[in-house]
Amino acid sequence: MKVDVLLGLQWGDEGKGKVVDVLTPNYDVVTRFQGGPNAGHTLEFEGQKYVLRSVPSGIFQGGKVNVIGNGVVLDPALFKQEIEQLEASGHNLTERLYISKKAHLILPTHRLLDKAYEMAKGAGKIGTTGKGIGPTYTDKISRNGLRVGDLLNNFDEKYAKAIARHKEILSHYDFDYKQELETIEKDWKEGVKKLREFIFIDSEYFLNDTLEEGKSILAEGAQGTMLDVDFGSYPFVTSSNTICAGACTGLGIAPRKIGDVYGIFKAYCTRVGSGPFPTELFDETGKKIRDLGHEYGAVTGRERRCGWIDLVALKYAVMINGVTKLIMMKSDVLDDFDTIKACVAYNINGEETDEFPFDIKETNFTPVYKEFKGWKKDMTKTKKTSEFPEEYNDYLDFLEDYLEVPIKIVSVGPDREQTIVRYTAED
Ligand code: GDP
Ligand code: IMO
Ligand code: MG
């Protein structure tokens, strides 16, 4: 068997959590391969809403095993919070949530370093989620990180050394962190106790053995392709490889063992934090999308910036990931629009391009739009493709032609049930 990968094609928050939950019955194991609690994956079913940060979104259907892979960075304090919320709603995961010994730990000081670096950047700040993601991956790459497996052996000494090193760095910043550190550290240590209740594994062996046994795996991405540290709008990105290749390094799965690559996109575009956003709308239309789509961060509550769908960026993301099946989310948010626009090219300094440039200069840049007639129908109760209005099909057809990949699933509301499969499994 192979590992299917599901990932975001835009700037995150495409609806990955919802679709992983919907697809979970088709798989034996669900696993996260990168990112950490900067993610906020929302699932809704049976009138309940859950937001997952570090726990994979495959925990709610069929008692499946879920794995936090080596590419993930884990904050024990936030993990404990998340687990306790799940326990309170009747979901005990200690027996079937496995954690890679090689996953890196977000230390209390990583969060403070994130804050210090952002403050020092001033107006040029990234607008991070403040969860210590960048500093933790920095320590991983500079070979200073602590991993989950380190908890099993002489941990206190390693921890003290790391904290001392971080304090030294923090002393160079104009930031009185001491009190905050005390509070965070207390929660963090409680978190470690909780984390120790879980099964730590060599996840690369577990996952490869799972495939050998003929079982199937779904890998769940966090963030989105345009936030990838190599291919996103650098430096306004996250610090991990959010793309399909990240599933290989973040799980220990060989490239030839990757099967389908599900690419998720919204029928429009959003972005949280700073950085280029070619199709951003600053007018009433942008506000209307934000209001109708409830575009506020699942983790930070921050307003998401909104704009029309960007097919230049989307086609780039399809290429980088080798997407085999597309999934369109939140098209219901556009139900009431007379006209819908899709960016098909960028005009940069008078020249049109359909390639995503190295650097987008805000001046001398205009998106080139194609306009579509809105479908003007409440799609949220739609169950079958035969109920799709003609204008809706026209929009889908155009996207499929442009992106050269079939749109396999469309989502017309946040609930698990509001999901329509367009082709059968054989397609
Ligand atoms: P993720 O990070 O990719 O999992 O996405 P988020 O959970 O951060 O953001 C997606 C938001 O849209 C959540 O609030 C979902 O409940 C919601 N959502 C998902 N699919 C749909 C949809 O098709 N229509 C609408 N209206 N909301 C959706
Ligand atoms: P999910 O998985 C949207 C953004 C932050 C910031 C940049 C860097 O829910 O789609 P970081 O804390 O990672 O160093 O922040 O990346 N960002 C996200 N935006 N969805 C996410 O995750 C994000 N995770 C990080 O807003 O601009
Ligand atoms: Mg999210």
Side-chain angles (χ1 to χ4, degrees):
M1 292 293 277
K2 295 200 167 184
V3 178
D4 290 345
V5 182
L6 182 145
L7 44 76
L9 297 179
Q10 296 161 323
W11 280 274
D13 302 327
E14 295 90 349
K16 298 174 288 292
K18 167 181 165 165
V19 181
V20 169
D21 172 63
V22 167
L23 295 178
T24 294
N26 304 339
Y27 294 91
D28 296 299
V29 173
V30 178
T31 178
R32 275 272 306 266
F33 58 89
Q34 46 69 233
N38 48 348
H41 294 180
T42 316
L43 290 78
E44 287 190 40
F45 54 89
E46 293 159 11
Q48 296 291 322
K49 181 171 167 172
Y50 300 89
V51 179
L52 299 176
R53 294 163 149 199
S54 301
V55 173
S57 302
I59 53 166
F60 293 111
Q61 299 228 60
K64 303 291 168 72
V65 166
N66 280 240
V67 177
I68 294 179
N70 60 277
V72 172
V73 289
L74 197 61
D75 182 329
L78 297 178
F79 178 75
K80 175 172 180 272
Q81 256 180 33
E82 191 175 334
I83 291 296
E84 284 177 349
Q85 278 166 13
L86 288 166
E87 282 171 354
S89 58
H91 300 91
N92 192 316
L93 301 178
T94 42
E95 298 299 316
R96 60 185 182 93
L97 175 62
Y98 303 163
I99 302 172
S100 169
K101 287 184 203 158
K102 293 192 175 73
H104 277 247
L105 290 168
I106 302 176
L107 303 184
T109 34
H110 282 134
R111 245 195 271 174
L112 299 172
L113 285 166
D114 196 353
K115 203 168 173 179
Y117 295 156
E118 281 286 87
M119 285 190 322
K121 278 182 190 277
K125 71 174 184 184
I126 310 289
T128 73
T129 58
K131 299 290 180 287
I133 304 297
T136 307
Y137 278 115
T138 302
D139 272 357
K140 172 177 176 174
I141 301 301
S142 67
R143 297 156 296 181
N144 286 304
L146 290 188
R147 298 180 290 174
V148 168
D150 288 320
L151 290 170
L152 303 173
N153 180 15
N154 219 4
F155 184 70
D156 291 349
E157 198 180 303
K158 295 176 201 162
Y159 176 83
K161 230 168 135 179
I163 298 291
R165 200 173 57 79
H166 291 160
K167 279 184 176 167
E168 209 284 314
I169 302 172
L170 283 165
S171 71
H172 298 278
Y173 288 83
D174 183 21
F175 170 33
D176 185 11
Y177 64 87
K178 295 206 172 81
Q179 179 127 27
E180 200 174 340
L181 177 58
E182 225 170 87
T183 323
I184 308 180
E185 202 166 35
K186 199 165 148 274
D187 285 350
W188 197 87
K189 289 188 171 162
E190 288 300 314
V192 167
K193 282 188 209 154
K194 189 77 191 167
L195 189 57
R196 287 182 190 277
E197 291 174 17
F198 286 78
I199 305 168
F200 301 163
I201 60 165
D202 293 308
S203 53
E204 59 279 27
Y205 279 108
F206 173 79
L207 294 170
N208 280 289
D209 288 351
T210 299
L211 295 180
E212 281 296 306
E213 287 163 19
K215 293 183 183 160
S216 56
I217 300 176
L218 178 63
E220 171 182 7
Q223 291 78 56
T225 301
M226 302 313 288
L227 290 171
D228 179 88
V229 67
D230 280 279
F231 296 102
S233 43
Y234 192 89
F236 301 99
V237 293
T238 191
S239 299
S240 64
N241 280 119
T242 60
I243 57 169
C244 184
C248 295
T249 55
L251 298 175
I253 294 291
R256 69 187 171 84
K257 290 188 182 164
I258 300 292
D260 267 320
V261 181
Y262 290 98
I264 302 207
F265 65 97
K266 286 183 200 181
Y268 50 94
C269 249
T270 62
R271 166 159 212 173
V272 211
S274 328
F277 181 0
T279 59
E280 182 166 12
L281 294 166
F282 300 95
D283 57 7
E284 281 304 306
T285 308
K287 188 173 172 318
K288 186 172 168 184
I289 294 176
R290 176 156 50 248
D291 289 345
L292 291 172
H294 306 292
E295 294 296 354
Y296 298 90
V299 173
T300 57
R302 288 184 292 177
E303 249 185 28
R304 292 177 183 151
R305 299 154 65 191
C306 296
W308 295 118
I309 196 166
D310 182 343
L311 296 181
V312 176
L314 207 48
K315 190 151 187 165
Y316 170 76
V318 165
M319 172 184 79
I320 299 285
N321 292 298
V323 172
T324 60
K325 286 171 180 151
L326 286 164
I327 302 178
M328 183 170 84
M329 310 299 291
K330 300 191 88 160
S331 58
D332 54 295
V333 172
L334 303 181
D335 284 354
D336 190 35
F337 283 69
D338 294 324
T339 306
I340 290 162
K341 293 187 188 180
C343 168
V344 291
Y346 300 154
N347 187 315
I348 303 174
N349 297 325
E351 272 186 39
E352 270 190 30
T353 176
D354 59 3
E355 292 192 0
F356 198 81
F358 173 74
D359 191 12
I360 291 182
K361 298 261 179 296
E362 305 280 327
T363 48
N364 301 327
F365 174 92
T366 36
V368 179
Y369 287 112
K370 179 173 167 59
E371 290 194 8
F372 297 83
K373 197 160 168 265
W375 43 89
K376 303 286 277 182
K377 175 182 165 170
D378 176 2
M379 298 287 288
T380 57
K381 293 182 186 64
T382 313
K383 294 280 172 216
K384 301 193 290 280
T385 52
S386 57
E387 296 168 43
F388 288 179
E390 193 185 328
E391 294 83 357
Y392 191 78
N393 281 326
D394 289 346
Y395 188 61
L396 289 174
D397 288 346
F398 181 79
L399 297 185
E400 283 189 332
D401 278 353
Y402 189 101
L403 300 168
E404 297 179 284
V405 181
I407 300 175
K408 169 93 177 154
I409 296 172
V410 297
S411 170
V412 292
D415 194 272
R416 194 188 263 171
E417 301 294 323
Q418 292 170 301
T419 316
I420 304 154
V421 178
R422 291 185 71 216
Y423 309 98
T424 57
E426 298 78 57
D427 286 307

